[in-house]
């Protein structure tokens, strides 16, 4: 039992109902009823993690998400994140975050991870970091792929949030658990291809109006291609690095 998490989920469901979100979930039986597992989720919007936990409620389980340290430092979200036993990720001390996640997995917890690390501006599956695979191998637990489609319409990078009553349909698919195997690079490649297939399957039954910002270029939308989005991310990272250096020089 996790009374704090249960309460937060109850509040979230009330918010979802207010927003009129229409959820379609399939494959929830693939969430293990017990034992540790890495829950690998695609990343298209800021609200992904609130939706990704829904399939885990079928076996009445909770996901401990890995989230950037800044969220924990916030006066409002920080206490909530700690109460829910989520895992802070300090990019300056990644080894500690990784060790904490592996410890959680070994204790039988579900740990939520974004293998893409950042939101995909193209809404396609970006290249994956190897952390999810390495955790699964070290802890000896499976990876469960989860793909969400439609979350980018609620709130995504570079566009205003739409948290009112939008009646947005959100589709979620849970793939079969992938048993860990080495090398981590091959496990990562298998995970990525599996999630790409799940995404394509979800998109088949979803309406994609031409020209919409949240629709991938491949489907006639105005979102950047994966290559264009990668360049945007690289340019942004370079600008942030220069700003950090400038602040250090001033200090």
């Amino acid at each position: 039992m996790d009374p704090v998490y249960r309460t937060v989920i109850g509040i979230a469901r009330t918010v979802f109902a207010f927003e009129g979100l229409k959820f379609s979930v399939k494959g929830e039986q693939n969430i293990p009823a017990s034992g540790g597992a890495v829950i690998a989720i695609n990343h298209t919007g800021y609200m992904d993690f609130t939706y990704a936990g829904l399939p885990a409620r079928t076996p009445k389980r909770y996901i401990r998400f890995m989230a950037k340290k800044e969220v924990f430092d916030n006066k409002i979200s920080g206490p909530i994140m700690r109460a829910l036993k989520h895992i802070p990720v300090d990019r300056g001390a990644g080894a500690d975050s990784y060790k904490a996640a592996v410890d959680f997995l070994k204790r039988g917890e579900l740990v939520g991870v974004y293998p893409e690390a950042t939101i995909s501006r193209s809404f396609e599956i970006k290249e994956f970091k190897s952390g999810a695979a390495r955790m699964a191998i070290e802890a000896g637990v499976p990876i469960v792929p989860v793909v969400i489609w439609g979350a980018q319409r609620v709130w995504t990078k570079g566009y205003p949030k739409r948290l009112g009553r939008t009646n947005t349909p959100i589709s979620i698919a849970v793939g079969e658990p992938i048993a860990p195997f080495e090398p981590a690079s091959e496990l990562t490649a298998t995970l990525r291809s599996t999630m790409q297939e799940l995404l394509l399957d979800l998109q088949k039954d979803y309406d994609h109006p031409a020209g919409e910002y949240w629709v991938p270029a491949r489907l006639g939308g105005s979102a950047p291609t994966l290559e264009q989005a990668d360049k945007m991310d690289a340019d942004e990272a370079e600008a942030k690095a220069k700003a950090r250096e400038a602040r250090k020089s001033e200090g």
Side-chain angles (χ1 to χ4, degrees), residues 126-240:
K126 290 165 59 72
E127 288 298 321
F128 282 5
K129 305 293 185 182
S130 64
R134 290 186 290 110
M135 285 176 199
I137 292 168
E138 185 169 341
V141 300
I143 303 179
V144 180
V146 175
V147 170
I148 302 171
W149 189 242
Q152 73 272 26
R153 300 175 65 178
V154 178
W155 188 11
T156 193
K157 196 167 191 173
Y159 292 92
K161 58 177 79 75
R162 299 172 67 244
L163 301 177
R165 190 168 185 83
T166 61
N167 301 316
T168 302
I170 296 176
S171 302
I172 305 173
V174 183
E176 294 183 3
I178 302 170
F181 63 85
E182 297 189 71
S185 58
E186 290 187 13
L187 178 55
T188 299
T190 297
L191 174 64
R192 183 169 184 261
S193 64
T194 299
M195 291 177 69
Q196 284 176 316
E197 290 174 10
L198 287 171
L199 179 60
L200 291 174
D201 185 60
L202 276 186
Q203 290 172 334
K204 287 177 185 176
D205 300 320
Y206 204 100
D207 184 34
H208 297 101
E212 288 286 343
Y213 74 89
W214 56 268
V215 177
R218 169 175 54 83
L219 297 175
S222 59
T225 65
L226 185 56
E227 293 73 23
Q228 289 169 336
D230 285 344
K231 185 176 187 309
M232 291 168 70
D233 289 341
D235 290 345
E236 183 180 86
E238 183 180 353
K240 285 182 178 179

Side-chain angles (χ1 to χ4, degrees), residues 76-99:
I76 297 174
S77 60
I80 297 173
M81 296 294 281
R82 284 187 286 275
L84 300 182
K85 301 175 187 174
H86 294 319
I87 305 167
V89 177
D90 184 346
R91 289 175 182 173
D96 291 341
S97 305
Y98 176 87
K99 182 180 182 302

